[in-house]
Amino acid sequence: MLGLPCGMVLRPWREADAPVRAAAYEDPDVRHWNQPEPMTLDEAVARIARWNRQWTEEEAAIWAVADEADRAVGLIGLAEFDPRDAAAEFLYWLLPRGRGRGVMAQAVTAVSRWAFEEAGLHRLRICHSVANPASCAVAVKAGFPLEGTMRGALLHEDGWHDEHLHARLATDEPKP
């Protein structure tokens, strides 16, 4: 479990969090920027079990963002987790009740520290649509400089989007 300055925590997903994962599809912002699949509660339980297996198999590291009442309000994780290449890519989303408090920038900072210090990764990246200023702000606040724009890199419901690429290296100055 990783504590955040805002009082929220990052913890493993639990089977009891399945309704939150299923509800994420209903949020228009989560659906637009993250393209989650609609799923039943049983499918959400299976997805959470898969995330937990991926931890064990060192394929991904997925946390629930939990509020002060220990209710999951979002997701943060490292996908394309490759210990051999010492790299991974962030993925994250928050439901409306978790937004507006700087939670995600704090979460990215905490997970980055874990990835560099505990998991031994060298490079972390954040990719997001250039039309998503909230994700860009998260990356910058968490100390991920913009490296460039990847043209036509991601297909959303409304068509192809250019993506920003932000990255941090283990050798970069630590984010306070």
Side-chain angles (χ1 to χ4, degrees):
M1 188 171 335
L2 300 173
L4 303 178
C6 65
M8 291 192 175
V9 297
L10 307 182
R11 61 160 174 77
W13 280 84
R14 302 174 186 144
E15 188 173 315
D17 297 323
V20 174
R21 172 53 192 92
Y25 181 79
E26 302 304 320
D27 180 73
D29 288 332
V30 172
R31 188 171 57 247
H32 183 75
W33 299 120
N34 295 274
Q35 304 171 322
E37 302 141 15
M39 59 180 55
T40 66
L41 285 179
D42 288 341
E43 290 168 332
V45 167
R47 177 66 53 93
I48 290 167
R50 188 178 99 201
W51 290 336
N52 292 333
R53 275 192 314 278
Q54 288 175 314
W55 264 98
T56 304
E57 296 166 6
E58 296 184 339
E59 295 173 355
I62 311 293
W63 287 266
V65 179
D67 66 12
E68 296 82 352
D70 200 31
R71 296 173 303 178
V73 297
L75 174 146
I76 186 166
L78 295 171
E80 299 182 24
F81 193 90
D82 188 346
R84 186 179 51 81
D85 288 338
E89 181 173 335
F90 270 95
L91 50 102
Y92 50 79
W93 52 260
L94 277 175
L95 293 174
R97 69 177 182 263
R99 296 178 190 152
R101 296 182 268 179
V103 172
M104 199 50 72
Q106 292 176 23
V108 168
T109 300
V111 171
S112 297
R113 191 172 301 116
W114 173 86
F116 292 140
E117 295 173 7
E118 303 296 323
L121 297 184
H122 173 69
R123 180 179 169 83
L124 301 175
R125 66 189 176 278
I126 296 174
C127 298
H128 64 83
S129 169
V130 298
N132 185 347
S135 279
C136 198
V138 165
V140 171
K141 285 180 187 174
F144 280 68
L146 178 64
E147 290 190 343
T149 301
M150 299 180 292
R151 297 179 311 121
L154 188 62
L155 182 60
H156 285 276
E157 290 177 344
D158 61 350
W160 287 97
H161 283 233
D162 291 352
E163 276 192 305
H164 278 163
L165 168 63
H166 300 258
R168 279 187 60 80
L169 302 178
T171 55
D172 289 345
E173 193 66 32
K175 179 76 177 151

